[in-house]
Amino acid sequence: VISKREQVSIDAAFPMGSELPVPDELALAHSEMLSGRIREEIAASGGALSFMRFMELALYAPGFGYYCAGQNRFGAGGDFVTAPGVSALFGRCLARQVAEGLDLAGPGAAVLEFGAGSGRLAADLVMELGRLGLRPAQYLILEPSADLRACQQSTLRDQGDVAVRWLDRLPSRPWRGVVIANEVLDAMPVARFRMGSGGDVEELCVTSDGAAFTWTARAASPGLEAAVRDLETALGRRLPPGYTSELRLHLPAWLCALSDLLERGLLLLIDYGYTRREYYHPQRRDGTLICHYRHRAHDDPLRLAGLQDMSAFVDFSALADAARACGLEVLGFATQAHFLLACGLGGILERLLREEPQRYAQYASQAKRLTLPGEMGERFKVLALGRRIPPPLLGFSVRDHRARL
Ligand SMILES: C[S@@+](CC[C@H](N)C(=O)[O-])C[C@H]1O[C@@H](n2cnc3c(N)ncnc32)[C@H](O)[C@@H]1O
C-alpha cells in the first residue's frame, strides 16, 4: 500500500506502463463512457481541450469522474492511502494544533474541513478534540463529491455531541475557526505548459484519435502566458525551451474566497509540495503530475480516464504569496515530520506504550511512516495561514521554514 508520492523522487516518476493491473470489464465500460463524454468536449472545443478541463472531468464529472463514481478510492482496497488512513496518530497530533487555533479564534469557533475523503480524519479529530476537552461549535465539511459525502456520513454516524454538517458552498461571513485541507490542493486541476523553442509559452492540451487521448500543444492563452511570465519573474530566470510544468491557476481565487469570510482564524493546508525554487528546479523538466491506480504510481494522466487518480504537487511559495495578496498572514511552514513532532507525537507514543504495550510496535511503525524522510515526513508539508492569530503556533515550534518560501 503506497501513500501518494511515497515512491517518487525528483525526476524519477515510478516506471509506468506494462505492470499496471488490467481493469475489469465493468471498469473499462465505465471509463469508456467518461472518455466518450470527454471526446464530445474535445470536439466542441475545436479538437483540443485544455489539460485543466480534462483533469476536472476525469476527477469530478458527476457520476463518472474518479472521485464521483462511487468506488472505494482510499486504503488497501483502493488506489492510494492518505495520512489519516496510515494512522489515527496523524489526526491526534493535528487535533492539538486545531485546538490551539479554536482557542485563539475565540467564542463560536468552528472547524471547516475541505475534501474530507473517507471521513477518517474528521472522525479522528472529533474524537481527539473531545479528549482534549475542546469541542468545536460545529464541524463543517465541504466536499464536492456526492459519493464521498455519503461515505463520510457513514464514517461519522456516531460523533456524539459534535454537530457535523455538510455544506454545498462556503459558510456565510463573518466566520471564525480553523480550516483544514489535507491532500486537497493536489487534487485541484492544473494547467500544463511547455516553453517553446523561441521562448514562447505553449499550453499542453488533450486531443483524441478516437481510440486514445494524446497530447497536443497550442499557443498559451493570455492568462496562462501572464502566469508563466510572473513565475519567471519570481524565479529570477527564464525557463528553458522544452521545459514542461504546471500551474494551479484557480488557487488564488480559492484562497481569496476563504480569506473573505474569515473574521478570525487559522488555515492548515497539508500536502505534498515544494517551495517555488524546488518545484521549478531546472532538472524537474517534466513537472510533477502523478497518477495512482491500485497502489501503482505512474505519470501518464491520459490513460484509464475515471479509473485512476491524478494530482500534482503544491507550490507552497505561490500559496503563501496568494495568501499575503488577499490579506492573510503566513504563520508557519514545516515538514509533516516536524509538525507532528511539535504537536506532541513523541508524548502520544509514550502514553500508548504505557496504555497499550501489546499494540505499541504497530503504532511505532505507523509513526515512522508518517515522519521518515523517505516516506511521508518530508515531501508532505504544513502551511499555516491566518487572520488575527498571534504566532508562534504549536505545530511550528520544532522548526519553522517560512524563510524558505
Ligand atoms: C486525495 S483526496 C483527500 C481526502 C482526505 N482529505 C484525506 O486526507 O484522506 C482529495 C479530496 O479533495 C476533494 N476536493 C477536490 N477539490 C475540492 C474542492 N475544490 N473543495 C473541496 N474538496 C475538494 C476530493 O473530492 C477528495 O475528497
Side-chain angles (χ1 to χ4, degrees):
V1 178
I2 60 166
S3 65
K4 289 196 168 184
R5 276 298 177 164
E6 211 166 80
Q7 306 187 356
V8 182
S9 59
I10 189 166
D11 284 334
F14 194 67
M16 42 172 287
S18 53
E19 76 272 21
L20 285 186
V22 178
D24 62 31
E25 283 194 12
L26 206 64
L28 285 173
H30 171 94
S31 179
E32 190 39 46
M33 278 195 276
L34 175 63
S35 299
R37 163 107 209 262
I38 296 174
R39 279 195 293 270
E40 280 167 22
E41 275 219 27
I42 290 175
S45 323
L49 193 64
S50 73
F51 176 71
M52 192 156 79
R53 178 65 182 153
F54 175 87
M55 183 167 172
E56 193 179 338
L57 288 169
L59 294 181
Y60 304 110
F64 291 107
Y66 177 77
Y67 282 116
C68 303
Q71 291 94 341
N72 173 31
R73 303 311 192 187
F74 307 97
D79 299 304
F80 57 86
V81 67
T82 58
V86 169
S87 175
L89 290 168
F90 179 75
R92 290 189 71 172
C93 293
L94 182 59
R96 282 156 172 73
Q97 182 59 86
V98 172
E100 184 184 48
L102 288 170
D103 190 36
L104 292 168
V111 175
L112 168 59
E113 183 179 356
F114 276 83
S118 66
R120 196 60 265 148
L121 179 58
D124 292 340
L125 278 174
V126 167
M127 168 107 59
E128 190 66 11
L129 286 170
R131 276 197 204 116
L132 297 171
L134 216 156
R135 294 192 190 284
Q138 281 185 317
Y139 195 106
L140 307 170
I141 294 181
L142 211 158
E143 170 57 66
S145 157
D147 287 312
L148 287 179
R149 190 189 274 220
C151 173
Q152 292 153 16
Q153 281 164 346
S154 140
T155 308
L156 288 158
R157 214 171 292 132
D158 306 310
Q159 286 316 311
D161 40 356
V162 173
V164 182
R165 205 152 64 79
W166 280 262
L167 305 177
D168 295 320
R169 60 186 71 83
L170 288 174
S172 47
R173 53 196 292 222
W175 188 86
R176 284 175 174 233
V178 179
V179 176
I180 303 162
N182 184 58
E183 286 205 41
V184 173
L185 304 187
D186 69 77
M188 292 186 180
V190 288
R192 195 153 193 240
F193 68 89
R194 182 173 71 195
M195 302 309 291
S197 51
D200 52 317
V201 183
E202 298 171 338
E203 175 166 21
L204 289 180
C205 296
V206 180
T207 187
S208 166
D209 63 8
F213 295 117
T214 54
W215 293 105
T216 183
R218 68 181 176 201
S221 64
L224 178 58
E225 157 118 38
V228 173
R229 297 302 177 210
D230 286 349
L231 169 63
E232 289 182 319
T233 304
L235 287 169
R237 60 182 165 81
R238 302 305 293 263
L239 296 169
Y243 192 88
T244 302
S245 196
E246 319 82 27
L247 279 165
R248 203 164 261 113
L249 299 177
H250 294 328
L251 207 53
W254 178 83
L255 204 52
C256 280
L258 262 179
S259 166
D260 276 354
L261 68 92
L262 194 66
E263 186 201 17
R264 183 169 194 174
L266 177 64
L267 275 57
L268 295 167
L269 307 176
I270 308 164
D271 228 306
Y272 36 89
Y274 298 123
T275 62
R276 183 182 287 122
R277 284 189 184 284
E278 292 167 315
Y279 196 120
Y280 299 100
H281 190 282
Q283 284 172 23
R284 203 185 309 284
R285 293 182 60 86
D286 204 31
T288 69
L289 278 179
I290 180 83
C291 306
H292 288 86
Y293 182 64
R294 300 212 205 140
H295 299 278
R296 267 74 158 189
H298 69 93
D299 63 0
D300 183 359
L302 305 190
R303 300 172 67 173
L304 300 175
L307 302 184
Q308 66 175 4
D309 180 44
M310 70 180 80
S311 61
F313 271 60
V314 171
D315 172 356
F316 281 104
S317 305
L319 205 49
D321 286 350
R324 290 189 201 98
C326 56
L328 290 170
E329 260 184 275
V330 179
L331 298 170
F333 180 54
T335 62
Q336 176 168 295
H338 287 143
F339 178 82
L340 295 179
L341 289 168
C343 288
L345 179 60
I348 294 173
L349 283 171
E350 273 173 29
R351 216 166 36 252
L352 287 168
L353 178 59
R354 282 196 308 274
E355 291 168 4
E356 300 178 53
Q358 68 290 359
R359 293 188 62 197
Y360 183 73
Q362 200 179 324
Y363 291 128
S365 126
Q366 293 169 0
K368 281 186 189 164
R369 186 101 191 269
L370 292 172
T371 55
L372 284 180
E375 304 247 3
M376 303 177 81
E378 283 192 356
R379 255 177 223 117
F380 284 76
K381 316 280 194 311
V382 186
L383 181 71
L385 307 172
R387 173 160 296 129
R388 296 175 59 209
I389 296 288
L393 292 175
L394 171 71
F396 305 89
S397 55
V398 166
R399 218 41 79 75
D400 186 345
H401 290 305
R402 266 179 294 176
R404 289 198 194 158
L405 283 166

